[in-house]
Amino acid sequence: MNDMTIVIRSLRVRLLTSSMTVAMVAIAVALLLVIMSMREAASQAFRRGTGNVHLLVCADASPLVGVLNGMFYANAPANPIAWTKAEEIRASFPWQWAIPTQLGDSFQGSPVMATRSSFLSQFEPVVGQPFTFAAGRAFTSDFEVVAGSQAAKEHGLSAGDEIVFTHGSGASRAGGHEHADHPYSVVGILNPTGSAHDRALFTSLESSWIIHAEERREAQSTEPEGEEPHEHHEGEHDHAHVDVDDLTDADKLITGILLRLPTRPGSDASASIASQFDRLRRDTAITVAQPAQQIGRLMSIVGDVDWLFLAMGVVVLVSSAISIMLAMIASMELRRRQVAVLRVLGASAWRVFALTVTESTLIGLVGSFLGATIALGGCELASAILADRIGIMVAGTIDLRSMAMVTLGAVLLSSLAGITPAIKSYRTSVARHLRPIA
Amino acid sequence: MIVAAIDISSTSLGVSLSGVRFAYRRGFALFVPSLEVQPGEQILLAGASGSGKSTLLHLIAGIEDPSHGEIRIAGTNFLALRGAKRDTFRGRHIGMIFQTFNLLQGFSALENVMLALMLGGFDSSDQRSRAESTLTRLGIEDSHAPVENLSVGQQQRVAVARAVAGNPCVVLADEPTASLDPANARKAIELIKDAARTAGAALIVTSHDPSLIGAFDRVLDIGPLIATERAR
């Protein structure tokens, strides 16, 4: 028998109220931890995806939209860039590398990037961490495809599978049509990179150009002049065969160019980025973005909303502390009788004060522990939702500093919440509360 | 036998009150010029409801402070003790029994008794054995049962066990039979008297039941001790 036994019994006598207050603290702690974790993880995840790209050229309405579309697969870019423009940009400066990309097709909701195989060898989704293969190899010829780790996992793909792409992005898959005439062979599966590229599939530009050129030519040959092209349905195609050699500049459309300037060995920075950025910006036909800078801008835009969420979490935590206080005050009549008995049996006023504060602290401790446990599960869930909905790969973990800060804060608030009931306990008139209840 | 006051010796190891005065808010005052209860002595504080019997017990227990006077328990000037010292002293030397028992809900019979011993400053190693032996002596078979699951009679036995387990100097019982029928009241009083006698404690019982007068060594009628403030 010790003082903790008294506290635990007191909580057990008011089991429903105690459970409810513990649940409130747990929810508040979990909410705050998930918000803090996601806030940091989302920021890191955005910074991961841009990798070693210095500049992104696209035809989107704004640099930020271009980065979100071109590097995070938010949507298929609406405006193409002509191949001649791409060649012009490529030849305008001795880039370390210039990789054209085209987005627009998808496989069961996962975005398909048509690009050069150099994307898989020279582009690093995280600086210093190039793509590596879990199975197979990079695409070397037309109609071969490499799947990102999450895409492969989600669709159960493995090397040797044959798949068919859908025209349109994941969001529009319901209305898109399949490129059924041209199945792709899966030749490689990538290891996870922790970036949005994990949920994409990669194939050659020529494959994509051929498919779209064939469809465009079929449409042109079947539609009467002056009428809008009608929607294609399965089995309705007139099969026009197109080879790489048949492709014209009009067929060779891309949606972005990833550019990297020469750097010194061991360095990711280049002194020419600003001047090349300014030079390319003068061309009004294209949009130029510095991906890292745009992500920084995005973080500052969402930062205010971020703080609002954080503030809401703190408010919920304070509310839970107030609920502890109210619950303890509400049970004061029963508690006063208990206090009076304890006093008669030899407990000092300070001892019953300490017992009451210990009770509220224990609620905070148990609530914090449960909240932290719930938060770990919540982070996993939130990271899965973020990956699924907007393609941001975030680690579902909570750093120890945040966890210590929030749980200690919750315990401290719970202790403070116990002070008012403890003062009431301290001041309880023993003689009055020992009398029989009328 | 009605005794208004008994002169005391300050060296007594029982309970002694001298010149104790307590003023009520409504203008009345309780005045006890002198009262001594020897160790092992068993007295009844008689008087009508609201006559101040409980107040006198509370004064002896140190949970109400008189405006004047001295109260000694086991030779110690109890009122000179302040705060936690007085509380600990009460826990160690005074056992209390209430009309509605005031057992702590959520605790077992054993835990109720052990709790009193803990707050009375008994070693943790001693608490269980003392509590178990006292409960067994008083006929509690299932000492691990929550007190709310016990019968009224069993609850009263647990309340008595809690009061005497620490071998206090004095046991104070406040209207312990008020809610019982005459036959059970008699049994309860005998139980309390036996337990106090076994513990070697003085026993002071309050009751407005005249049928209990013959069961005690002495009876103190509290009526003459209370008067208006002006009269004192």
Side-chain angles (χ1 to χ4, degrees):
Chain A
M1 175 66 62
N2 53 40
D3 284 11
M4 195 50 80
T5 315
I6 302 173
V7 171
I8 291 167
R9 292 290 188 280
S10 175
L11 286 169
R12 210 168 68 178
V13 165
R14 291 173 280 276
L15 190 60
L16 182 65
T17 312
S18 304
S19 306
M20 295 300 282
T21 45
V22 164
M24 275 207 72
V25 175
I27 290 166
V29 167
L31 183 66
L32 202 51
L33 282 175
V34 169
I35 289 171
M36 287 177 79
S37 169
M38 287 298 113
R39 184 169 166 258
E40 181 56 30
S43 168
Q44 282 181 2
F46 269 117
R47 285 186 169 85
R48 285 180 78 85
T50 55
N52 62 346
V53 169
H54 285 150
L55 297 172
L56 168 70
V57 173
C58 61
D60 283 302
S62 78
L64 180 56
V65 172
V67 172
L68 290 176
N69 288 345
M71 309 209 73
F72 294 93
Y73 311 97
N75 279 304
N79 303 315
I81 299 171
W83 183 247
T84 49
K85 174 62 76 179
E87 287 289 290
E88 181 191 317
I89 291 168
R90 194 176 61 80
S92 68
F93 185 80
W95 312 102
Q96 185 174 329
W97 43 256
I99 303 173
T101 63
Q102 186 209 59
L103 289 161
D105 286 348
S106 63
F107 173 66
Q108 295 179 4
S110 297
V112 174
M113 177 185 274
T115 184
R116 298 290 186 210
S117 58
S118 57
F119 178 84
L120 297 174
S121 57
Q122 293 186 302
F123 170 71
E124 295 172 351
V126 180
V127 176
Q129 297 175 26
F131 285 114
T132 55
F133 283 84
R137 55 171 174 81
F139 56 84
T140 51
S141 58
D142 297 341
F143 302 106
E144 289 184 342
V145 64
V146 169
S149 61
Q150 197 201 345
K153 187 179 169 189
E154 189 179 335
H155 306 300
L157 298 177
S158 53
D161 289 349
E162 287 215 336
I163 58 175
V164 175
F165 294 159
T166 304
H167 187 70
S169 68
S172 63
R173 62 183 155 170
H177 65 267
E178 290 190 338
H179 300 302
D181 298 337
H182 289 286
Y184 283 71
S185 295
V186 179
V187 295
I189 306 292
L190 294 170
N191 279 317
T193 64
S195 70
H197 304 294
D198 289 349
R199 56 187 282 264
L201 297 97
F202 307 95
T203 186
S204 71
L205 274 172
E206 283 75 12
S207 308
S208 181
W209 285 340
I210 287 169
I211 289 175
H212 293 103
E214 282 184 2
E215 288 184 353
R216 190 162 48 251
R217 285 167 204 184
E218 284 163 12
Q220 284 167 353
S221 66
T222 55
E223 299 297 338
E225 202 172 332
E227 283 188 18
E228 292 293 317
H230 76 266
E231 192 181 330
H232 285 284
H233 298 286
E234 200 172 346
E236 216 178 311
H237 294 297
D238 295 327
H239 297 288
H241 183 74
V242 175
D243 280 330
V244 174
D245 297 336
D246 302 327
L247 294 170
T248 64
D249 282 351
D251 296 321
K252 296 178 180 179
L253 296 177
I254 59 171
T255 56
I257 309 167
L258 306 179
L259 299 169
R260 180 173 171 85
L261 285 81
T263 57
R264 289 178 181 171
S267 169
D268 187 52
S270 168
S272 309
I273 292 178
S275 60
Q276 290 308 310
F277 175 68
D278 285 338
R279 180 180 67 79
L280 290 171
R281 274 178 69 189
R282 290 191 204 106
D283 188 340
T284 54
I286 55 171
T287 300
V288 190
Q290 294 183 58
Q293 193 185 62
Q294 290 304 315
I295 292 306
R297 193 167 151 249
L298 176 66
M299 289 295 114
S300 72
I301 292 169
V302 299
D304 290 341
V305 181
D306 212 29
W307 277 107
L308 188 66
F309 278 120
L310 209 56
M312 282 168 62
V314 171
V315 168
V316 173
L317 192 62
V318 172
S319 304
S320 73
I322 292 171
S323 77
I324 293 176
M325 186 175 73
L326 292 178
M328 291 181 82
I329 288 174
S331 63
M332 214 60 218
E333 204 44 52
L334 179 62
R335 188 181 297 277
R336 279 197 172 115
R337 197 160 192 83
Q338 181 185 341
V339 165
V341 174
L342 290 173
R343 294 293 312 281
V344 159
L345 295 178
S348 68
W350 277 113
R351 195 166 185 172
V352 296
F353 180 95
L355 286 170
T356 312
V357 172
T358 305
E359 191 174 318
S360 66
T361 305
L362 193 61
I363 289 174
L365 268 172
V366 176
S368 295
F369 176 76
L370 281 177
T373 309
I374 293 168
L376 288 171
C379 283
E380 290 289 340
L381 185 69
S383 70
I385 291 170
L386 282 174
D388 186 52
R389 299 286 168 85
I390 53 177
I392 301 171
M393 307 299 293
V394 298
T397 55
I398 301 167
D399 74 289
L400 281 176
R401 193 167 146 267
S402 301
M403 194 177 278
M405 206 164 72
V406 172
T407 51
L408 280 177
V411 172
L412 185 67
L413 276 173
S414 304
S415 302
L416 289 174
I419 291 207
T420 303
I423 290 171
K424 286 178 179 289
S425 297
Y426 180 91
R427 289 181 175 167
T428 292
S429 161
V430 179
R432 194 198 312 166
H433 291 93
L434 284 175
R435 290 187 191 122
I437 298 165
Chain B
M1 181 172 51
I2 306 291
V3 179
I6 296 171
D7 288 331
I8 59 160
S9 157
S10 61
T11 57
S12 164
L13 292 178
V15 178
S16 71
L17 285 78
S18 143
V20 171
R21 181 173 169 278
F22 179 83
Y24 291 98
R25 283 185 189 163
R26 53 186 189 268
F28 289 88
L30 175 70
F31 183 68
V32 184
S34 175
L35 170 63
E36 182 178 4
V37 185
Q38 299 293 338
E41 192 179 6
Q42 301 188 332
I43 74 164
L44 177 71
L45 287 179
S49 292
S51 61
K53 302 185 298 294
S54 294
T55 302
L56 184 51
L57 283 197
H58 290 168
L59 288 169
I60 295 170
I63 54 182
E64 299 257 32
D65 275 336
S67 53
H68 296 93
E70 185 181 87
I71 298 174
R72 286 184 174 271
I73 309 282
T76 300
N77 184 0
F78 189 30
L79 297 180
L81 300 175
R82 290 284 156 201
K85 282 185 182 172
R86 185 192 287 188
D87 295 316
T88 306
F89 186 89
R90 182 194 307 118
R92 186 80 186 206
H93 296 286
I94 301 173
M96 283 198 83
I97 300 166
F98 307 93
Q99 180 187 334
T100 50
F101 318 135
N102 282 334
L103 295 173
L104 289 172
Q105 304 294 298
F107 288 72
S108 69
L110 182 67
E111 286 171 336
N112 263 279
V113 180
M114 285 176 68
L115 178 67
L117 292 169
M118 181 193 84
L119 295 174
F122 284 85
D123 288 342
S124 54
S125 56
D126 205 16
Q127 291 165 18
R128 180 173 287 272
S129 58
R130 268 180 180 268
E132 281 176 341
S133 64
T134 309
L135 286 166
T136 305
R137 195 172 72 234
L138 290 169
I140 301 296
E141 289 171 358
D142 186 5
S143 63
H144 294 281
V147 287
E148 53 270 31
N149 292 353
L150 299 177
S151 68
V152 173
Q154 293 263 300
Q155 286 187 23
Q156 184 158 51
R157 284 168 187 274
V158 175
V160 172
R162 185 176 67 179
V164 301
N167 289 337
C169 173
V170 59
V171 173
L172 308 173
D174 192 7
E175 297 279 6
T177 61
S179 53
L180 302 176
D181 58 68
N184 281 318
R186 193 79 195 173
K187 282 184 190 170
I189 284 296
E190 289 308 317
L191 175 75
I192 293 168
K193 285 175 64 184
D194 284 350
R197 193 176 299 119
T198 308
L203 173 66
I204 304 174
V205 177
T206 69
S207 178
H208 59 273
D209 181 0
S211 70
L212 297 179
I213 287 174
F216 289 86
D217 300 336
R218 282 193 287 143
V219 177
L220 173 64
D221 182 6
I222 201 159
L225 301 180
I226 195 154
T228 61
E229 187 74 13
R230 201 173 297 124
R232 294 292 167 195

